């Protein structure tokens, strides 16, 4: 198999799986019994989005999308840290 065929197959297989994952995470986000569940679901949504952007970057051959994915990952990481700090402070007061 050549590399182009492998890339196309990975996109064809990967995107529907990520679509199903997004639907499941959105259900968790809506029905999440606690605030923590919803924040974890939101973090997972961002992670899935980063994965989709990365695959799109590979499929199109444009590395500019990887920069966007890295910035999005950094923002998601910082927001998760901020939320954990908020929960810790809320629990002590």
């Amino acid at each position: 198999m050549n590399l182009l065929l492998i890339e196309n197959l990975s996109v064809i297989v990967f995107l529907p799986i990520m679509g199903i994952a997004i639907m499941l995470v959105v259900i968790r986000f809506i029905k999440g019994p606690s605030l923590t569940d919803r924040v974890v679901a939101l973090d997972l949504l961002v992670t899935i989005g980063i994965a989709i952007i990365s695959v799109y970057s590979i499929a199109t051959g444009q590395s500019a999308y990887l920069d966007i994915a890295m910035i999005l990952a950094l923002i998601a990481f910082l927001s998760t840290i901020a939320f954990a700090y908020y929960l810790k402070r809320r629990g002590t007061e």
Side-chain angles (χ1 to χ4, degrees), residues 18-92:
M18 289 296 108
I20 292 170
I22 285 176
M23 287 190 297
L24 293 174
V25 171
V26 167
I27 290 171
R28 171 52 64 194
F29 181 74
I30 293 171
K31 293 179 70 175
S34 69
L35 182 62
T36 306
D37 291 332
R38 289 188 171 121
V39 170
V40 170
L42 186 63
D43 193 40
L44 189 56
L45 275 175
V46 172
T47 303
I48 293 170
I50 291 168
I52 290 172
I53 290 171
S54 300
V55 167
Y56 185 74
S57 174
I58 292 169
T60 59
Q62 295 183 0
S63 63
Y65 293 117
L66 290 178
D67 295 335
I68 296 169
M70 285 190 300
I71 291 171
L72 196 58
L74 180 63
I75 291 171
F77 172 73
L78 292 176
S79 66
T80 302
I81 295 298
F83 179 71
Y85 181 72
Y86 166 74
L87 282 180
K88 182 180 175 186
R89 296 280 299 179
R90 191 175 90 176
T92 58

